[in-house]
Amino acid sequence: MKIKKGDAGYIRQHKRNVIIKTVIEFGIVIALFFLGIWQTGDRLNLLTVVAILGCLPASKALVELIMIFPHHSISEEMTTEIERSTEYLTKAFDMVFTSEKKIMPVESIVISDNTVCGYTSNPKVDTNGTSDHIKKYLSSNKLNKVSVKIFDNYATYLKRVEDMNRIAAEEKNDVKEKETAIRQVILSLSL
């Protein structure tokens, strides 16, 4: 089963795919370079030029690997626990947000109507700054009046998720389309 962006385990799979892509692209560059030397006996040949140009996409893949490598997917236990508590909520997992100054990994986000709550286990993440960053991005995509709160305490986050799920179950509003739009905008902001 292919894991899509926003699913639990996405970072793990994406990291694996980027490693394979980087190794293959640099392998092709090295093979072209040595093939040119082997055929002509000199490094000044057309295949060397092709190999040099091949370094551009290979380097792009390497930069992507460097960006995603320090981050990890949410644990299966946490995923199971959150999934059990979010029957009526829209959710997303394994996101890494970036701004000009910082990188903000967020393991889980749940959405209920105009409320977005997220959890990060990284103690270096400024939860208020991350909330503001996501809220500003949602506003720029014409999704105003959305409240965003990022938690760094898992027990508090899980309690809030359970409360949101209970309220959503009682209200039974038809807001899935809006929640899906918010989810898509949030995922487009993530690496």
Side-chain angles (χ1 to χ4, degrees):
M1 180 176 107
K2 183 176 180 183
I3 298 174
K4 297 178 290 204
K5 192 174 193 177
D7 293 343
Y10 173 75
I11 291 177
R12 187 179 316 109
Q13 179 180 336
H14 185 63
K15 196 183 299 187
R16 189 177 328 122
N17 292 345
V18 172
I19 288 170
I20 291 168
K21 179 181 173 183
T22 304
V23 168
I24 289 172
E25 287 185 6
F26 274 110
I28 290 170
V29 167
I30 292 167
L32 285 171
F33 178 72
F34 285 114
L35 180 64
I37 291 175
W38 179 70
Q39 283 185 338
T40 63
D42 187 21
R43 65 179 173 81
L44 302 173
N45 60 63
L46 189 58
L47 284 179
T48 300
V49 174
V50 173
I52 290 170
L53 292 175
C55 285
L56 294 172
S59 297
K60 183 180 177 214
L62 182 61
V63 168
E64 188 176 354
L65 178 62
I66 291 168
M67 288 290 294
I68 200 75
F69 197 76
H71 306 290
H72 305 284
S73 288
I74 188 169
S75 72
E76 290 182 25
E77 295 82 28
M78 284 179 148
T79 303
T80 305
E81 199 169 13
I82 292 168
E83 289 279 353
R84 244 187 327 215
S85 304
T86 58
E87 181 181 349
Y88 298 99
L89 305 176
T90 302
K91 54 200 159 288
F93 298 98
D94 287 352
M95 293 154 290
V96 179
F97 303 109
T98 59
S99 69
E100 300 83 27
K101 298 177 184 170
K102 51 193 162 195
I103 296 175
M104 304 158 280
V106 175
E107 281 87 354
S108 171
I109 280 184
V110 294
I111 305 162
S112 177
D113 196 12
N114 283 332
T115 306
V116 176
C117 289
Y119 168 70
T120 181
S121 62
N122 189 330
K124 295 180 182 178
V125 172
D126 174 20
T127 56
N128 292 328
T130 305
S131 298
D132 292 341
H133 181 67
I134 294 170
K135 190 171 184 171
K136 186 170 81 172
Y137 194 73
L138 288 169
S139 293
S140 70
N141 282 279
K142 297 183 174 82
L143 291 166
N144 300 318
K145 298 180 183 174
V146 177
S147 67
V148 180
K149 174 73 173 151
I150 304 296
F151 295 89
D152 57 2
N153 181 307
Y154 182 68
T156 307
Y157 171 68
L158 196 58
K159 175 76 171 110
R160 178 68 177 131
V161 167
E162 290 167 352
D163 292 344
M164 287 171 64
N165 191 55
R166 190 180 75 262
I167 291 168
E170 291 170 2
E171 291 180 356
K172 295 186 180 173
N173 292 336
D174 188 26
V175 292
K176 272 299 183 202
E177 192 173 304
K178 181 179 183 180
E179 291 174 357
T180 303
I182 292 171
R183 182 181 188 271
Q184 290 303 323
V185 170
I186 290 173
L187 290 178
S188 71
L189 179 61
S190 175
L191 286 179

